[in-house]
Amino acid sequence: MVDNRYATALVIGSVLSLLATVYLSVAVGTQHWYQYQSPAAGSDATNTSELRSLRDDFRDGDFDEKTYSDTLFRLNGTLGLWWRCVRVPADSHWFKEPDPKMVTECVSFTLPQQFIPKYKEPGNHNGQEDLLRTYLWRCQFLLPLVSLGLVFLGALIALCACLCRSLTPTLGIGVLHLLAGLCTLATVCCFLAGMDLLHRANLPPEGVDRSLGWSLYLALISSPLHMMAAALLLWAARSHRQNYHRMTAYLVA
């Protein structure tokens, strides 16, 4: 028999866990972690040709950190854990129009590209590898997957606990949610640290505005939600166990 207080804590914790998981899943699957606002492009032929070349290299060229970073700087780019996108005119003759229609073009990071090492001089593949940026990048896309995996494991344990009509595994589920929240928080920290180091190695052009995107804020919100869910689950499990031991001792006496 579960006390109403514990049942309420379990329900609220489950709702918080579900919200946190949805927020984190949306954050991982979208590209608005970091965004650039580029100055208006000129209409001269040289600038037009350069921007078109950047767009083509971004879409069809070989993967290179220097190349895609410069394209993001110049073409109102957005960057996520698995996507990089630019805002480009839909019409190929956009330079002839005063206000062309803009569309978003995205290219995904493949799994092998996620493990490509970073260099102290982006674009110089013969230069010295930047181990700090390399491992920050790898952590920023692996940690959210670990976080989602921990929550999924907790859900399986919770299902088994419901079938067995036992509240004992709730303690372990709470610990898993706490670890998931820490992994999510570490993801955000790794991403921000990596972007700061990238901008030091490859300085954006003057006039380019930089800002954090809503995807990053979703991930940031999901971390305390996981931790609050963990706190409720741990409290319910611990309090229920203490009351159970007291009741057992009373019945024995």
Side-chain angles (χ1 to χ4, degrees), residues 1-235:
M1 186 69 177
V2 180
D3 188 276
N4 286 337
R5 294 174 300 168
Y6 309 145
T8 302
L10 292 175
V11 170
I12 296 176
S14 300
V15 172
L16 291 176
S17 173
L18 179 61
L19 284 175
T21 304
V22 170
Y23 287 170
L24 181 58
S25 300
V26 172
V28 171
T30 51
Q31 73 274 14
H32 297 281
W33 282 66
Y34 207 91
Q35 52 197 19
Y36 301 94
Q37 186 66 36
S38 311
S43 58
D44 57 282
T46 303
N47 190 51
T48 300
S49 176
E50 182 182 357
L51 293 179
R52 185 180 289 113
S53 176
L54 284 174
R55 173 185 179 179
D56 293 339
D57 289 341
F58 177 82
R59 184 172 51 190
D60 304 319
D62 295 333
F63 178 80
D64 180 77
E65 185 184 31
K66 171 70 173 175
T67 301
Y68 79 72
S69 295
D70 290 344
T71 307
L72 294 178
F73 296 157
R74 299 287 301 278
L75 295 177
N76 299 297
T78 55
L79 182 67
L81 301 184
W82 289 91
W83 295 93
R84 56 191 190 275
C85 303
V86 292
R87 292 274 295 169
V88 294
D91 188 4
S92 59
H93 301 289
W94 61 273
F95 55 90
K96 297 181 179 179
E97 301 179 11
D99 189 18
K101 179 182 178 181
M102 305 296 287
V103 295
T104 301
E105 291 187 357
C106 295
V107 179
S108 64
F109 292 104
T110 63
L111 189 59
Q113 288 172 354
Q114 296 280 24
F115 288 96
I116 290 179
K118 309 297 180 184
Y119 297 93
K120 291 187 179 295
E121 296 180 9
N124 182 12
H125 297 272
N126 296 321
Q128 184 180 3
E129 181 180 351
D130 192 333
L131 291 177
L132 180 57
R133 287 205 306 119
T134 297
Y135 285 102
L136 283 174
W137 182 275
R138 293 175 183 177
C139 288
Q140 78 182 23
F141 88 90
L142 286 174
L143 286 175
L145 301 181
V146 173
S147 178
L148 292 173
L150 290 172
V151 175
F152 181 71
L153 178 60
L156 290 179
I157 296 175
L159 179 61
C160 295
C162 290
L163 295 176
C164 297
R165 297 178 179 272
S166 173
L167 201 62
T168 304
T170 308
L171 188 64
I173 299 171
V175 173
L176 290 176
H177 277 77
L178 179 60
L179 293 175
L182 293 175
C183 287
T184 304
L185 183 60
T187 299
V188 176
C189 294
C190 288
F191 181 85
L192 293 176
M195 293 303 297
D196 181 66
L197 292 174
L198 172 62
H199 293 151
R200 294 183 185 182
N202 187 22
L203 191 66
E206 186 177 353
V208 175
D209 294 329
R210 298 170 285 172
S211 61
L212 304 179
W214 57 265
S215 298
L216 184 140
Y217 288 114
L218 277 183
L220 195 59
I221 292 172
S222 72
S223 177
L225 289 178
H226 272 136
M227 293 182 182
M228 286 189 289
L232 287 171
L233 295 173
L234 291 173
W235 174 83

